[in-house]
Amino acid sequence: MSLQTLSEWLRCPNCFLPLNPGGELLLGCERGHSFDVNKRGFVNLLTGQRKFIGDSAAMLDARDRFLRAGWYEPLRDAIHTLVGGESPRRLLDVGCGTGYYLGAALPPGKDVRALGMDLSPTAVSRTIRSHGRVDGLVADVWSPLPIRDGAADVILNVFAPRNAAEFHRVLRPDGLLLVVVPQPTHLRQLRESGLAVEMQADKAAHLTTSLGAWFRLERHEQIDRTVHLSPFEVASLIGMGPSSHHSGSAASGDSLAADQLVTVAFDVFGFRRR
């Protein structure tokens, strides 16, 4: 995309005034705050201290390998169908990762634009490199988002943290928030063998409760299947997510002895902005 299309999404993280192009690879607001735009085409608007870190290059490599093999294609297809029914012109992907799901959600059309946002600069760089109609933003979902009010027709949030109040603010009236979370049975076999970390058992119920003040639940789909994975694929699956941060769950294709049957199960929610 361009400095102009990037700026049209953004507001200053300090004073919340709109950001506009201020020169080559520079965005600024009327109060004089300015921010350098990376030569790769994204801007880092992180401010203050952070308690979380973004995904590493190794995690993103593992995710890219696993997703390219097609194991999560049913989820990708469901996202494509749900977002396609909205005919959006402006999509925001919060927690964009490698851009795999944003690629499925992005409809055709030269006037369709998207913003890939992630805490990891490496993730944002990969997302915008994969999709020519996508701008990039490095930001923390737990802070006030440096995004203008009502900027998005659709927000995509797949296996990523959520800030309900800020999502409500940056989504247009009656816009769609699409959220994907794992079901309790997701990766059950890997958790039982100690290769994957435990997860919140009531994740779906907690999600609908936490969003209820700002969004109404409109649609709920479940995807549940068992896949036959090689040791190398299991290692990629473990390495691409939160289990990779725990030394007790480290695994490689060489250390895993045999193929495994693994349950992959997701809840797909469509929420409408109140």
Side-chain angles (χ1 to χ4, degrees):
M1 301 299 284
S2 69
L3 199 64
Q4 180 60 42
T5 60
L6 174 61
S7 70
E8 289 171 359
W9 284 99
L10 303 176
R11 68 178 192 175
C12 177
N14 298 317
C15 65
F16 303 150
L17 290 175
L19 289 178
N20 295 290
E24 186 176 1
L25 297 180
L26 191 69
L27 295 175
C29 71
E30 291 182 356
R31 292 191 179 173
H33 302 120
S34 61
F35 306 91
D36 294 325
V37 176
N38 187 286
K39 290 182 180 180
R40 296 177 183 175
F42 65 86
V43 64
N44 188 329
L45 296 181
L46 290 172
T47 58
Q49 297 292 322
R50 297 179 304 282
K51 55 189 286 189
F52 299 103
I53 60 172
D55 292 345
S56 66
M59 291 177 66
L60 294 164
D61 287 343
R63 189 174 309 163
D64 192 49
R65 288 193 301 269
F66 187 81
L67 294 177
R68 283 183 181 275
W71 297 114
Y72 283 8
E73 273 189 6
L75 174 58
R76 195 174 192 268
D77 292 343
I79 290 172
H80 173 78
T81 300
L82 283 171
V83 176
E86 299 291 307
S87 299
R89 287 293 170 265
R90 296 177 68 85
L91 288 84
L92 168 62
D93 187 354
V94 178
C96 59
T98 62
Y100 178 77
Y101 300 108
L102 181 56
L106 195 61
K110 292 182 179 180
D111 60 335
V112 176
R113 287 183 267 167
L115 181 68
M117 173 186 145
D118 205 288
L119 186 59
S120 165
T122 306
V124 173
S125 177
R126 294 191 187 197
T127 293
I128 63 174
R129 191 170 64 223
S130 300
H131 308 290
R133 292 175 290 147
V134 178
D135 289 303
L137 168 66
V138 178
D140 185 356
V141 71
W142 299 118
S143 301
L145 300 181
I147 299 172
R148 302 186 190 191
D149 295 357
D153 300 320
V154 170
I155 295 178
L156 190 62
N157 182 253
V158 183
F159 309 129
R162 293 161 297 279
N163 186 329
E166 282 296 281
F167 284 7
H168 184 270
R169 180 184 62 79
V170 304
L171 191 62
R172 67 163 172 79
D174 206 37
L176 175 71
L177 168 62
L178 194 156
V179 180
V180 180
V181 296
Q183 292 183 29
T185 56
H186 184 59
L187 309 188
R188 173 179 55 82
Q189 298 87 346
L190 300 183
R191 285 188 278 112
E192 290 173 351
S193 60
L195 291 173
V197 296
E198 293 297 324
M199 57 170 286
Q200 183 179 343
D202 58 347
K203 206 172 186 72
H206 176 75
L207 170 69
T208 54
T209 300
S210 64
L211 294 177
W214 294 274
F215 299 89
R216 68 178 187 275
L217 179 60
E218 185 174 82
R219 189 164 180 172
H220 178 202
E221 296 183 13
Q222 293 185 309
I223 298 172
D224 188 334
R225 62 196 291 244
T226 300
V227 296
H228 191 211
L229 302 179
S230 70
F232 182 73
E233 289 165 336
V234 171
S236 293
L237 176 57
I238 295 167
M240 76 186 204
S243 295
S244 67
H245 295 300
H246 298 264
S247 58
S249 59
S252 68
D254 294 332
S255 65
L256 294 166
D259 292 1
Q260 295 199 38
L261 292 176
V262 179
T263 299
V264 293
F266 319 107
D267 282 301
V268 184
F269 295 96
F271 293 93
R272 192 66 62 182
R273 184 188 190 274
R274 293 188 184 276

